[in-house]
Amino acid sequence: MGLSEAVIRASRAFDSVAARPWCVQPAMPILFFGDVDAYRASPLRVLTVGLNPSRWEFPADRPFSRFPIAERSSGGKRSRYLDAMSAYFSTDPYKAWFSAYEPLLNGMEASYYYGSRASTALHTDICSPVATNPTWNKLDAADRAELKNDGGPLWHMLLEELKPQIVTVSVAKVHLEDIAFTPLTSWRVIHTFRRKADGNRSAQPYQIHRRWYEVGGEESLFIFGRAARKPFGLLANIYKHEAGAMALDAYRGRSGLLVG
């Protein structure tokens, strides 16, 4: 089936709410961010996870500046749509947000930017492929439920197709309940960071959790750290890199972890 069905469902999810005042317009659904071919060819398939796309993916003055291929394509051809998603990090990425994930990826020898590290990562959104204004947490509960009704199953379909080996999640902890894949272990803390980058003791220790799931018939390691305004926002970059290295070690040692 490939990604064709996921593209169709993303388009339907967008069209179903296009008339809502909080749906960013002009815009389009964002199924994923990043070079999907490079991701598939990587020695390690790594995905990051957020809630839904930011409204800043479609700047008011130039709405499709981050996706010029999609703007130029005619008839909504699926191949051109996927090209537009794949070209995101080589075009005009929203670095103010994605830079928060990059140190963690680097610790896993991965990056959103093709050729920067051994593996090329993708970003996905667990709740919806639709950009909203206001942000997710400021939407009414009914509107969030409507978006998740399409977006949740779509995200699971996408991951079944992409078969990630490591999935890094930094959202409100309640959204871990939305992960419907078959768990192979419980959530466990793999490390607690107790100090800030300056060496002073942190008032709130920061925990990194892991859990194994079956995704697309394969074992996938999920890594979770609570979010602030940005992914892993409460953790200094030097510790994000360290956390990424720990995640990589946990994946490489997976045969000894799949118990309990």
Side-chain angles (χ1 to χ4, degrees):
M1 179 177 63
L3 290 170
S4 295
E5 180 61 26
V7 173
I8 292 170
R9 290 181 63 169
S11 180
R12 290 174 180 168
F14 182 85
D15 291 343
S16 70
V17 297
R20 301 289 196 276
W22 39 258
C23 179
V24 174
Q25 293 280 16
M28 64 180 182
I30 304 178
L31 185 59
F32 59 83
F33 299 77
D35 190 330
V36 68
D37 292 332
Y39 162 85
R40 283 175 159 157
S42 294
L44 185 69
R45 296 186 301 276
V46 181
L47 289 182
T48 60
V49 178
L51 296 178
N52 75 311
S54 167
R55 67 186 177 95
W56 298 112
E57 298 299 351
F58 302 95
D61 57 340
R62 295 181 58 207
F64 289 93
S65 62
R66 305 191 196 279
F67 305 97
I69 296 174
E71 184 178 31
R72 293 194 299 267
S73 65
S74 60
K77 293 181 180 179
R78 286 194 287 276
S79 62
R80 298 299 285 162
Y81 172 83
L82 292 174
D83 286 344
M85 301 299 103
S86 288
Y88 177 81
F89 286 105
S90 61
T91 305
D92 182 26
Y94 180 31
K95 291 184 178 180
W97 194 87
F98 284 104
S99 62
Y101 253 133
E102 189 69 9
L104 185 85
L105 292 174
N106 293 170
M108 290 183 267
E109 301 173 12
S111 172
Y112 291 126
Y113 301 92
Y114 175 73
S116 175
R117 295 293 190 277
S119 297
T120 301
L122 295 184
H123 179 76
T124 64
D125 286 303
I126 191 172
C127 291
S128 178
V130 178
T132 60
N133 184 17
T135 57
W136 184 264
N137 291 330
K138 294 182 180 180
L139 291 171
D140 289 343
D143 294 329
R144 294 197 300 266
E146 182 179 11
L147 287 163
K148 287 174 67 174
N149 188 53
D150 289 326
L154 174 60
W155 181 78
H156 285 80
M157 171 191 286
L158 178 63
L159 264 65
E160 291 275 356
E161 170 62 27
L162 293 175
K163 294 179 170 50
Q165 292 162 303
I166 299 181
V167 179
T168 62
V169 185
S170 187
V171 295
K173 194 172 184 178
V174 66
H175 292 287
L176 296 182
E177 299 173 8
D178 296 331
I179 300 173
F181 296 115
T182 301
L184 301 175
T185 69
S186 58
W187 283 106
R188 292 188 176 181
V189 176
I190 61 173
H191 190 74
T192 300
F193 290 94
R194 302 185 184 279
R195 295 192 179 277
K196 303 176 183 178
D198 61 8
N200 291 322
R201 197 169 185 85
S202 175
Q204 288 187 308
Y206 191 94
Q207 294 183 326
I208 304 295
H209 302 75
R210 62 90 176 151
R211 189 178 199 181
W212 289 86
Y213 288 89
E214 180 182 332
V215 179
E218 299 183 10
E219 297 167 358
S220 183
L221 175 63
F222 280 56
I223 299 295
F224 170 75
R226 70 184 187 273
R229 298 182 67 179
K230 296 179 181 179
F232 294 88
L234 300 173
L235 200 59
N237 284 347
I238 188 172
Y239 296 141
K240 290 180 188 178
H241 192 284
E242 188 176 340
M246 291 176 185
L248 182 59
D249 287 344
Y251 179 79
R252 288 172 171 168
R254 62 192 178 280
S255 61
L257 288 172
L258 290 178
V259 180

